[in-house]
Amino acid sequence: ARVYPVVVDPSIVSLQPASYQVLSTTSTFSLSGIGASLVIGQPNFTSSGTLISQNLLTGVFGVSMDSSGNLWVSDSCNRALRFSPPFSSGMNASHVIGQPNFTSCPAATGPSPNTFNFGAGGGNTGADVFIDSSGNLWVADTSNDRVLRFNLPFSDGMSASLVLGQPNFTSSGTL
């Protein structure tokens, strides 16, 4: 399985898409391998299920940290999940953006202001999440050829405040 390391001072966060996990370590990074100290998105280091809940990820695509130390993860259920410190293995996410609740994982839907699609059939093309200097969440909506901005304060299932790449929230496709 391919591992996607992301340096987040002072720890290393790595995406493990094949096992649906985000791993973290406080050890010094080395190419010879390091042992993770916690796992987010699965109940333990050996699980790799695809059930959908507040503490389970499926098809991890992107990761970002905000200035408050919150970890944002996008997954193939077209969700951006926020995990707030202190971090612990198997912990619950504190917010979900892109779905009305933590357990929704519908097939790809048309564009709207409060949903996004990372790929056909629930997401398989990958996407990224980014937190800007004002704390706003940006999501690359790859299936609808757009980027969405979600402004603070965050609430579960909230609508985006800005769309880039399309004339409105309900348009999709190349222009």
Side-chain angles (χ1 to χ4, degrees):
R2 186 169 179 196
V3 175
Y4 302 90
V6 179
V7 178
V8 182
D9 191 37
S11 55
I12 304 291
V13 174
S14 65
L15 302 181
Q16 307 254 328
S19 60
Y20 313 109
Q21 300 172 340
V22 176
L23 304 176
S24 175
T25 180
T26 55
S27 305
T28 304
F29 179 72
S30 74
L31 295 178
S32 62
I34 50 177
S37 57
L38 67 94
V39 60
I40 293 174
Q42 294 296 320
N44 55 52
F45 289 99
T46 58
S47 297
S48 63
T50 58
L51 297 175
I52 308 305
S53 74
Q54 191 171 354
N55 67 343
L56 296 175
L57 295 167
T58 181
V60 175
F61 285 136
V63 63
S64 185
M65 291 196 88
D66 64 27
S67 62
S68 298
N70 296 303
L71 178 69
W72 287 89
V73 181
S74 61
D75 75 359
S76 66
C77 276
N78 302 316
R79 306 181 300 174
L81 298 165
R82 183 175 85 178
F83 295 89
S84 299
F87 299 117
S88 61
S89 290
M91 71 182 291
N92 285 335
S94 56
H95 281 297
V96 60
I97 307 293
Q99 296 298 334
N101 56 55
F102 290 102
T103 57
S104 293
C105 186
T109 60
S112 77
N114 61 346
T115 61
F116 41 82
N117 295 308
F118 297 145
N124 53 21
T125 60
D128 208 357
V129 291
F130 174 76
I131 306 296
D132 66 22
S133 61
S134 297
N136 300 310
L137 172 68
W138 293 83
V139 176
D141 184 356
T142 54
S143 286
N144 293 311
D145 302 308
R146 64 186 187 168
V147 176
L148 299 172
R149 183 181 72 194
F150 295 85
N151 289 348
L152 286 166
F154 299 115
S155 61
D156 294 346
M158 70 185 288
S159 293
S161 58
L162 179 69
V163 61
L164 300 176
Q166 295 297 329
N168 55 51
F169 287 106
T170 58
S171 297
S172 68
T174 55
L175 299 175

